[in-house]
Amino acid sequence: LETYIASHPDYDLVKMRGSGSVAKHTAIKTSSDTDLAAYVRASAVGGLQVNEAQLLNWLLERCKEVFGKTKDAEDFKISHHAVGITMHGTGLKIDVAPVLYEGEPDDRGHLVTQSGDRVLTSVTQHLEFLNSRGRVAGPELKELIRLFKQFIRRIKDESAVTGQELRFKSFLVELLVAHLYDHGWNGEPLATKNYPRAFEQILGYIVTTGLKQPIIFTDFYATSQVQHSYDAMQVWDPVNPDNNVVRAYTDYDRQRIVDRCSQ
């Protein structure tokens, strides 16, 4: 797709960027999906407030234009906020999510959220957010994130069996670990080279704070840019001070996480 874009400079797909856990090297082994961000020239599809269904249908046709000669029509399907492309050799599913782009620097553009909001994001800055810490901490930091994601996967599966779903998104794991790497816990740095101790620290932080303390990062903006919030949980997007990534979590969701980690 990048090759196609480069050879068609007036194409309304401007650029592609790897995104999500696979691009960050924090995916767990059971994952069979990978994510791509497709930067769409917003003016070509009706601006930032374009209807999402219309946008995804438009993107579906663009993906077929690029890959259509090598794949069957049924390999392309609109999925949750993205266009899914199935690779038969590996079973890999690529989710191509549109980012509405208006020429801003640092790959900043707008994603369409589950609630239909347009949220400013930057795939490149999200990658740099974790990579900057990984360069100092070493590979153990991302390995710790993967281990904790696998732990969350296990307890989510256990909770589903009992009929009590546990809400804990993958991105939240990354941000919690990054926060503890930045600030430590209980007067100690995060023990990235001692995984059992690091687990104790992460669980201890969750249980002791009850996840009631706001988590804010200052890599790309100042703390003063974050507006006061009454949300039950507050973990702010490292690249957007207007985006609380757990805004939709209720107090019940918060307490379920705390109780399960306490156990």
Side-chain angles (χ1 to χ4, degrees):
L1 189 48
E2 284 184 339
T3 302
Y4 191 92
I5 291 171
S7 61
H8 297 77
D10 294 328
Y11 200 51
D12 290 325
L13 274 179
V14 182
K15 52 190 169 184
M16 302 291 293
R17 295 288 184 264
S19 63
S21 297
V22 173
K24 296 173 188 172
H25 299 153
T26 61
I28 57 178
K29 203 169 183 179
T30 53
S31 175
S32 60
D33 295 353
T34 189
D35 300 314
L36 289 175
Y39 282 74
V40 178
R41 189 174 283 110
S43 60
V45 293
L48 293 183
Q49 298 309 314
V50 60
N51 175 272
E52 185 184 21
Q54 176 186 334
L55 175 61
L56 290 175
N57 278 314
W58 180 90
L59 183 59
L60 176 69
E61 294 307 313
R62 302 293 77 74
C63 289
K64 286 180 178 178
E65 282 177 2
V66 175
F67 294 110
K69 293 179 180 178
T70 62
K71 301 191 66 56
D72 298 328
E74 56 268 24
D75 293 337
F76 302 89
K77 285 189 172 59
I78 292 176
S79 58
H80 200 51
H81 302 289
V83 173
I85 306 174
T86 300
M87 302 297 178
H88 292 286
T90 60
L92 181 71
K93 181 187 170 194
I94 300 173
D95 281 329
V96 183
V99 176
L100 295 164
Y101 183 62
E102 295 185 306
E104 293 196 50
D106 300 315
D107 292 332
R108 293 169 72 82
H110 289 80
L111 275 173
V112 182
T113 67
Q114 292 183 13
S115 60
D117 295 329
R118 272 56 176 166
V119 174
L120 187 66
T121 190
S122 167
V123 170
T124 304
Q125 289 180 330
H126 274 145
L127 293 177
E128 178 57 22
F129 168 79
L130 268 186
N131 289 342
S132 64
R133 288 158 176 79
R135 285 193 291 269
V136 179
E140 293 88 354
L141 181 66
K142 290 186 178 182
E143 184 67 6
L144 175 60
I145 289 172
R146 287 192 288 269
L147 284 168
F148 205 77
K149 283 185 179 183
Q150 185 64 30
F151 165 70
I152 294 299
R153 171 68 64 88
R154 291 282 187 92
I155 64 173
K156 285 174 102 169
D157 289 346
E158 291 170 9
S159 298
V161 169
T162 65
Q164 293 181 301
E165 295 291 337
L166 184 76
R167 196 170 192 177
F168 203 130
K169 63 171 71 178
S170 171
F171 190 30
L172 178 57
V173 174
E174 295 176 8
L175 297 183
L176 282 173
V177 173
H179 175 72
L180 288 172
Y181 177 74
D182 290 350
H183 300 284
W185 174 239
N186 234 8
E188 298 177 27
L190 181 63
T192 54
K193 299 186 188 303
N194 181 342
Y195 298 139
R197 178 60 187 146
F199 260 70
E200 290 178 342
Q201 291 173 307
I202 299 168
L203 295 172
Y205 171 82
I206 290 171
V207 174
T208 304
T209 65
L211 293 176
K212 291 182 177 180
Q213 298 177 357
I215 292 177
I216 301 170
F217 300 95
T218 56
D219 297 51
F220 301 108
Y221 56 80
T223 302
S224 59
Q225 291 179 257
V226 175
Q227 300 297 314
H228 180 72
S229 168
Y230 292 100
D231 295 328
M233 288 175 59
Q234 297 177 46
V235 182
W236 297 91
D237 187 330
V239 308
N240 182 351
D242 297 323
N243 181 27
N244 174 12
V245 301
V246 288
R247 177 180 289 124
Y249 284 48
T250 65
D251 200 59
Y252 174 78
D253 294 325
R254 180 193 63 77
Q255 193 61 54
R256 287 276 296 127
I257 294 172
V258 173
D259 290 347
R260 196 69 186 85
C261 288
S262 177
Q263 293 168 9

